[in-house]
Amino acid sequence: MSTKPLTGHECPGDPCIIVIFGASGDLTKRKLIPALYNLKALKLLPENFAGIGVAVTESNDELFRAKITEDIKQFATRPFDPAEWDNFSKRSYYVSGDFNDPATFSRLAEKIQEVQKTWNIPPNVLFYLAVSPTFFGKVVEQLGAAGLTNESEGAWRRIIIEKPFGHDLASARALNTELTKHVSESQIYRIDHYLGKETVQNIMVFRFGNSVFEPIWNRRYIDYVQITVAEELGVELRGGYYDHSGVTRDMVQNHILSVLSLIAMEPPASISGDSVRNEKVKVLEAIRPMEPEEVLANTVRGQYGAGIIDGRHVPAYRSEPDVNPQSNTETFVAMKLMVENWRWADVPFFIRSGKRLAARTTQIVIGFRRTPLLLFGRKIEDNVTPNRLVIHVQPDEGITMDIHAKRPGPGVSIASVPLDFSYKAFGESTAATGYETLLYDCMIGDMTLFHRYDSVDASWRIVNPILDVWQALHPRDFPNYAAGTWGPEASDRLIEKSGHVWHHYQLAP
Ligand code: BG6
């Protein structure tokens, strides 16, 4: 698996055409085209490469090139290089049409053939479904019917599917059944942009590339784990989608459970392909779905009211565009999960995520057990914090280890001091969108960082009973936290019940 920023020292991806469905959408202009452009600049796009955008909007190759040229000037994460861009842009094509109409797919098939001939590209095609989830099944069905998913003569056909994969367990299963009528599991790349983040990928190197951590990475030494994914942003212009989703579906079912499984998994036999995915799914399977009374005891949901973020008044969730003014959708969640296996029995995993919180931060805190400090004339319950390891995923990227040290001076006074490692120490600026690694991995056929269906199923099995209880019991106190805070008070009580508090660390500048 790719464990460091792509540098351009890797081999270019396989020669191929990338077809992006949803070419006029936000994801394409903000992330996908800038990511492909970065790959090109790093010499990681193959020589024989072209892109085809597909969308309902009427357009043609020329207009599409003009549009993406305007967009890249705004969204590129590296300096704009006209010559490099020109080479990219002239390999870009467009097909317009309705995704329900077979004629769109016949036109696409013709376009693929024409582009293959022009640039001497073998029949490898990567289809990226940057479309509303309601189209996932339809687009794949139409691709299958048009013969575009057939892998023959050593060529590959791969499909990247954005989240959410299903709305609940039943719909995820139905979608998977639908997709696998037309393509096999080995052709489906379920993308999770969190797994493209440097520090998330670094979890494995950190755990398995250092001999000091793995021996203590278990219930004998670790007291608890916390995963916080906090956003300052509200729902922006995505109220229509979000109001049917909520933070549990939007963040927990995919990103957070995947990060949790990287933290908790057993060492894989190898660092690529199915070995890692096998271990990750075992963790999810060890999290027993909650009974209704456990849902009440171990989860908290919240929704933001109006408040202040960065000195600016922001509206309540229920006043956001396209949100039902009586909405009961949760914009905050906190929960305690137990991984019931030999390594983790009795170690609580606390997770929380929300919109419009006090800071934008994603961090993982590993709390170690207390030492008996009696040796130094202190009582165990004295206020020296036990060792903690913090993995900062964003906005700062790095790792902090809190250790105990003697304060200088006479007598023995103990203080907790941080040992900080910041990614800045590498001195490399990654200039990335977060999609480069994932697109590149798909081009080379490395599925490690993509969700296999069994892990999607296992995640839904964890989340679904919680959503069912919440749906049956409408929240009476929404909105229950002000924008710009750390969520509802009940979230603090949830963790305090287990004798802990939420941590929020900042990496030293
Ligand atoms: C997306 C969610 O998957 O992740 C968004 O749909 C969320 O609601 C986003 O804002 C957060 O991603 P990041 O990379 O900004 O932490």
Side-chain angles (χ1 to χ4, degrees):
M1 104 177 217
S2 316
T3 48
K4 58 186 177 62
L6 295 168
T7 58
H9 296 130
E10 298 82 0
C11 295
D14 295 352
C16 64
I17 294 178
I18 296 191
V19 176
I20 301 179
F21 288 91
S24 47
D26 240 34
L27 184 69
T28 304
K29 74 174 175 201
R30 285 175 193 274
K31 302 287 183 187
L32 302 182
I33 302 279
L36 289 170
Y37 177 55
N38 285 341
L39 287 174
K40 172 128 186 60
L42 291 167
K43 311 275 176 267
L44 293 177
L45 279 191
E47 275 295 304
N48 309 72
F49 169 84
I52 302 176
V54 188
V56 183
T57 320
E58 268 306 320
S59 189
N60 57 36
D61 296 342
E62 283 314 312
L63 290 173
F64 182 59
R65 285 173 194 154
K67 177 185 178 317
I68 59 175
T69 303
E70 276 315 297
D71 292 341
I72 196 72
K73 290 184 187 152
Q74 197 181 347
F75 296 109
T77 61
R78 65 173 57 239
F80 181 70
D81 173 345
E84 191 88 84
W85 175 255
D86 187 50
N87 187 293
F88 182 91
S89 154
K90 68 184 187 209
R91 292 158 183 269
S92 303
Y93 298 83
Y94 188 81
V95 171
S96 61
D98 184 337
F99 300 151
N100 289 307
D101 182 1
T104 305
F105 293 80
S106 315
R107 285 201 299 280
L108 175 61
E110 281 166 24
K111 188 69 132 190
I112 288 175
Q113 284 195 353
E114 173 197 322
V115 173
Q116 277 167 347
K117 264 199 219 121
T118 309
W119 298 100
N120 189 23
I121 303 174
N124 300 329
V125 186
L126 189 171
F127 298 100
Y128 198 121
L129 272 53
V131 295
S132 150
T134 46
F135 287 114
F136 291 165
K138 192 71 199 165
V139 171
V140 174
E141 182 196 332
Q142 296 272 21
L143 286 172
L148 288 169
T149 53
N150 290 340
E151 297 188 311
S152 56
E153 302 149 27
W156 51 255
R157 299 288 161 119
R158 297 175 186 147
I159 299 182
I160 297 188
I161 297 203
E162 270 293 332
K163 60 170 266 268
F165 197 92
H167 184 72
D168 53 18
L169 181 58
S171 56
R173 286 184 175 165
L175 174 59
N176 205 51
T177 307
E178 175 74 34
L179 298 185
T180 48
K181 279 186 203 152
H182 312 286
V183 284
S184 66
E185 175 67 29
S186 64
Q187 294 174 276
I188 307 176
Y189 288 67
R190 298 178 194 81
I191 199 165
D192 181 330
H193 80 282
Y194 259 69
L195 299 181
K197 293 184 191 282
E198 274 315 315
T199 340
V200 170
Q201 294 174 56
N202 193 28
I203 294 172
M204 286 217 267
V205 179
F206 186 73
R207 285 190 58 195
F208 306 125
N210 294 296
S211 59
V212 292
F213 295 112
E214 204 43 33
I216 57 169
W217 209 258
N218 57 54
R219 63 194 297 273
R220 290 185 62 197
Y221 297 93
I222 292 180
D223 197 18
Y224 64 86
V225 176
Q226 290 184 13
I227 303 176
T228 296
V229 181
E231 297 186 83
E232 283 186 348
L233 288 180
V235 288
E236 308 290 288
L237 299 174
R238 297 165 72 225
Y241 149 76
Y242 198 88
D243 212 28
H244 290 102
S245 165
V247 65
T248 312
R249 290 185 171 91
D250 191 46
M251 300 296 288
V252 178
Q253 185 272 334
N254 34 67
H255 308 319
I256 298 184
L257 287 178
S258 192
V259 169
L260 186 155
S261 55
L262 283 174
I263 291 288
M265 73 180 183
E266 295 301 313
S270 87
I271 210 74
S272 62
D274 272 337
S275 296
V276 172
R277 304 202 297 174
N278 289 343
E279 296 309 330
K280 284 178 67 187
V281 74
K282 284 185 208 159
V283 173
L284 300 174
E285 283 167 353
I287 300 177
R288 187 174 45 79
M290 291 185 209
E291 298 296 333
E293 56 281 10
E294 291 174 309
V295 173
L296 300 179
N298 296 329
T299 71
V300 166
R301 58 185 154 159
Q303 187 190 78
Y304 61 84
I308 296 179
I309 300 248
D310 287 337
R312 197 168 50 91
H313 281 275
V314 296
Y317 174 71
R318 288 178 178 175
S319 310
E320 300 275 18
D322 301 325
V323 168
N324 174 352
Q326 272 96 45
S327 173
N328 283 328
T329 299
E330 84 288 357
T331 60
F332 175 93
V333 64
M335 57 178 85
K336 172 174 148 183
L337 296 172
M338 303 302 289
V339 179
E340 296 182 1
N341 62 20
W342 275 66
R343 188 186 280 262
W344 296 112
D346 303 328
V347 179
F349 284 71
F350 300 104
I351 64 181
R352 63 174 171 166
S353 183
K355 298 239 180 238
R356 286 287 190 227
L357 296 183
R360 173 178 182 244
T361 180
T362 297
Q363 56 184 246
I364 303 155
V365 180
I366 314 283
F368 290 92
R369 293 194 183 281
R370 274 180 190 285
T371 47
L373 286 171
L374 288 168
L375 256 188
F376 305 108
R378 307 188 64 131
K379 291 202 284 324
I380 296 177
E381 65 272 20
D382 270 5
N383 206 14
V384 174
T385 46
N387 298 130
R388 271 186 224 138
L389 176 77
V390 186
I391 301 175
H392 307 263
V393 176
Q394 62 186 21
D396 302 315
E397 300 182 311
I399 292 173
T400 304
M401 180 84 203
D402 269 346
I403 58 156
H404 295 151
K406 177 185 170 301
R407 277 185 207 281
V412 181
S413 166
I414 300 170
S416 190
V417 282
L419 299 181
D420 278 333
F421 153 71
S422 165
Y423 251 71
K424 291 187 195 127
F426 278 122
E428 288 174 11
S429 90
T430 52
T433 62
Y435 279 76
E436 289 78 1
T437 304
L438 298 166
L439 284 166
Y440 175 75
D441 282 0
C442 187
M443 278 190 276
I444 61 169
D446 185 342
M447 303 189 90
T448 314
L449 296 178
F450 295 85
H451 292 303
R452 203 168 61 190
Y453 182 69
D454 53 357
S455 73
V456 176
D457 203 273
S459 307
W460 277 120
R461 286 202 301 269
I462 296 166
V463 158
N464 219 113
I466 301 171
L467 296 170
D468 286 347
V469 171
W470 287 353
Q471 169 138 24
L473 297 177
H474 283 212
R476 291 203 215 109
D477 58 349
F478 276 10
N480 58 357
Y481 70 98
T485 66
W486 282 105
E489 276 172 25
S491 154
D492 295 330
R493 288 200 297 275
L494 170 77
I495 195 163
E496 282 161 10
K497 275 194 298 195
S498 303
H500 301 286
V501 291
W502 292 110
H503 300 297
H504 173 220
Y505 272 81
Q506 253 157 355
L507 202 57

